[in-house]
Amino acid sequence: MTTQDRLQKMEGFKRLINLSLVLLCLLLETGVFTYHWYFHFRFNVVEDLQKFFFKGHVLEVAIYFVILFMFSNMYGGMRLGYLKNAEIIFSQVFATIMADVLIYAEISVMAFKLFNPMYFIIMLLQQILVAFLYISAANFFYRHIFPPRKLLLIYGDRDPKELRRKFETRLDKYLITEQIHVGAGTKNLCKTIKEYYQDGTCNAVVFGDISDADRKPLIKYCYGNSIRFYVLPKINDVIMIGAEELHVFDSPILLTREYSMTMEQRFLKRLIDIVCALILVILTSPIMLVTAICVKAYDGGPVFYKQVRCTRGGKKFNIIKFRSMRVDAEKDGVRLYYVGDSRVTPVGKFIRKVRIDELPQLFNILSGDMSFIGPRPERPEIIEQYQAEMPEFAFRLKVKAGLAGYAQVYGKYNTTPYDKLKLDITYIENYSVLLDLKIMLLTLKILFLPEATEGVDAGQTTAMRDLYMAKVDHEYEDGDGKKGSDANDVKSIDDKE
C-alpha cells in the first residue's frame, strides 16, 4: 500500500470515528429529552393520551434531535478534534440551551400554555452534565488515537515566528516539524515535500506569506500528488472566494460584482435592521435605564460616550455607547482599551464585560448609520493610518458598518487589522441574508466568551502589534524612503511579500 493510499484510508477512518463520537453525544442528550418527554412533558400536551400515537412520540423526539443537531453544527459543538476541549464543551452547552429554549416554546404552543420550566431546567442540567463528561472523554480518546498533524512550513521573507506561534496554540492538532524558506526554489521545494511526505516526516504543507508566483507551482504540485496543504489566503484569494460562477459559453467565468449587495438584499437587510432594532430597544429599555442611572451616579459625568466613526463610503457619524471610562480617559490622546486599563470605571468594567455598553448603538442602527451585521466601524484617523500600510483596508467601507460582524465572531478584539480585513472581505463577498442570521446567532455565543473582548497591549494606539508595524513599515518604504497612501499607486501588503 502506497503512502497516499494509507493516509487516505486513515483520513476516512478518522472522519468515521469523529462522526460516530459526535452522533453518540447528540443521541445521549436526546435520550435525556426522550425520558422527560415521555414521563413529564407529554401529559401537558394532550388531555387524551390515547389520541397521541406512538408515531407522535417518535416525531417529537426526532424534531428535538434535528434542532439540537442544527445548533450543535452552527456553534461548533460537533467540531470534535478541531476545537479545544473547553471550547467544544462550551459550544455544545450553548447549543443545548438554544435547543431547549426552542423546544420549550414549541411544546408550550402545542399545550396552549406556558410550561412550568422546572422540568426543563432539570433536563438542561442533566444534559450539561452528560455533555461535559462525554465530550471530555471522547475528545481525550480522539486525540489519543489521532496525534497532531505534522506540518512542513514554507515561508517567505517575513519572520515565521508569528505564524508558528499561532499554530503552537493548537499543539493538540498541528505540529510544525520542519520549515524551509521559499528561496530554496520550486524544484528543491517539490523534492523536499515529496521526501518528507513519503518518509512520514510531514503529512501536510503550510504555505505562509509567500508570493503568488512562488505559491502557484507548489499548490499545483501538492494538488496533483494528493498532498494536503494549508494556505494563508491573500486579499485577492478572499475576494475570489465570493465570485459567482457563470456558464454563458464553454469557458468558465468568475464574476465579482461592482456592488457588494443587490438592491433586494439591501432592502431586506434594512428591513431586518429596523424590525430587530425596534424589538431590542423595547426589550432592553429597562436595562438601559438602570445602566444610565448607574453611570451617572458613579461620577456625575455624561451617560453616553460619542465618537466619530466611519461607515459605508467613508461617511462619518457619531457612534453612541454607554460611557465605561473616566471622563478624562483620552486627555493624553486616543488609546485603545488594553488589558488592565485603569481608565475603566467599576461600572464600566461590568457593562463592558456583559456588552451592555453597546446597546445605545441600536439607535445608530435605526438612524441608518449602522447595520446589525457588518464590519465594525473604525475611527477616521485609525483608518487613515491602516490605509497607509494596507491600502486594501478601504475595502471594508463597501458596506455599512455593523454592531457585530464576521471578524468579531471568528476573530478577537486584538486580532491584527490585516486578519480582520480578510475576515470582513470574506463577509462582504459572501453576503446573504442567511449569513447575517447565522452571524446573529453566533454573536449570542461570543457574548459569553471573555477572550472576544481581550484588550491590546498597554501603550498601543491601534490593534497593530509593534513587531508587525515595524515589519510592515520596512516593507512599504519605497526607493525614496517615503510611504504612499493611495490604493491606486501603492503596492498592497500581498504584493510586497
Side-chain angles (χ1 to χ4, degrees), residues 133-391:
L133 294 176
Y134 178 82
I135 291 174
S136 298
N139 215 27
F140 176 81
F141 169 75
Y142 184 86
R143 285 176 175 150
H144 181 72
I145 63 174
F146 298 115
R149 192 177 299 279
K150 293 179 287 186
L151 306 176
L152 166 63
L153 171 62
I154 299 178
Y155 64 98
D157 293 334
R158 291 184 183 175
D159 192 329
K161 288 182 180 179
E162 178 65 19
L163 182 56
R164 289 187 67 105
R165 184 190 65 80
K166 288 180 180 292
F167 278 91
E168 286 169 359
T169 62
R170 293 303 312 275
L171 291 176
D172 59 310
K173 184 169 175 60
Y174 303 111
L175 181 63
I176 296 179
T177 56
E178 299 290 342
Q179 65 180 47
I180 184 171
H181 192 277
V182 70
T186 301
K187 185 176 181 180
N188 290 330
L189 288 171
C190 291
K191 181 180 178 182
T192 301
I193 292 172
K194 182 178 180 180
E195 290 175 352
Y196 284 159
Y197 183 74
Q198 290 181 340
D199 65 20
T201 303
C202 302
N203 47 37
V205 180
V206 177
F207 297 115
D209 297 319
I210 61 178
S211 68
D212 286 332
D214 290 328
R215 191 179 64 179
K216 286 177 182 178
L218 298 175
I219 287 179
K220 290 179 180 179
Y221 176 81
C222 289
Y223 183 79
N225 290 275
S226 299
I227 298 174
R228 179 182 294 245
F229 59 91
Y230 301 86
V231 178
L232 270 71
K234 301 180 183 298
I235 301 297
N236 288 345
D237 299 326
V238 177
I239 292 174
M240 294 308 299
I241 287 174
E244 179 183 349
E245 186 177 353
L246 300 181
H247 296 283
V248 292
F249 34 78
D250 58 354
S251 293
I253 300 177
L254 297 178
L255 167 66
T256 297
R257 301 182 186 278
E258 63 274 27
Y259 302 109
S260 55
M261 290 187 290
T262 64
M263 181 184 69
E264 305 95 284
Q265 288 176 328
R266 289 197 298 270
F267 173 79
L268 190 56
K269 185 177 177 69
R270 181 59 182 153
L271 179 63
I272 293 173
D273 285 342
I274 294 174
V275 172
C276 291
L278 285 173
I279 292 174
L280 283 178
V281 166
I282 295 171
L283 293 177
T284 62
S285 55
I287 299 175
M288 288 195 280
L289 178 60
V290 172
T291 302
I293 293 172
C294 292
V295 172
K296 188 69 177 179
Y298 177 73
D299 58 9
V303 170
F304 297 108
Y305 170 74
K306 296 182 180 181
Q307 189 181 75
V308 177
R309 298 287 179 97
C310 290
T311 185
R312 185 174 59 193
K315 177 186 174 183
K316 297 179 181 179
F317 72 101
N318 285 318
I319 195 172
I320 309 172
K321 294 185 179 184
F322 283 119
R323 182 173 58 86
S324 61
M325 294 188 177
R326 301 192 310 263
V327 178
D328 62 348
E330 295 186 343
K331 63 180 180 180
D332 298 324
V334 175
R335 285 185 298 162
L336 290 180
Y337 166 72
Y338 58 87
V339 179
D341 199 331
S342 60
R343 299 173 298 165
V344 180
T345 66
V347 175
K349 187 177 296 185
F350 174 77
I351 63 175
R352 287 179 70 93
K353 188 173 183 179
V354 296
R355 314 301 207 282
I356 292 176
D357 62 319
E358 307 280 358
L359 287 178
Q361 291 173 54
L362 293 172
F363 298 104
N364 287 124
I365 294 174
L366 289 173
S367 67
D369 292 323
M370 291 175 60
S371 178
F372 256 104
I373 305 300
R376 283 295 291 165
E378 292 280 7
R379 298 182 180 187
E381 57 269 26
I382 291 181
I383 291 178
E384 184 178 353
Q385 182 177 350
Y386 287 165
Q387 283 188 244
E389 314 300 341
M390 298 179 296

Side-chain angles (χ1 to χ4, degrees), residues 36 40-41 104 114-126:
H36 285 276
H40 300 131
F41 304 153
Y104 174 80
L114 289 177
F115 267 40
N116 183 337
M118 181 56 64
Y119 282 121
F120 274 87
I121 294 174
I122 293 174
M123 180 182 75
L124 176 61
L125 293 176
Q126 291 172 343

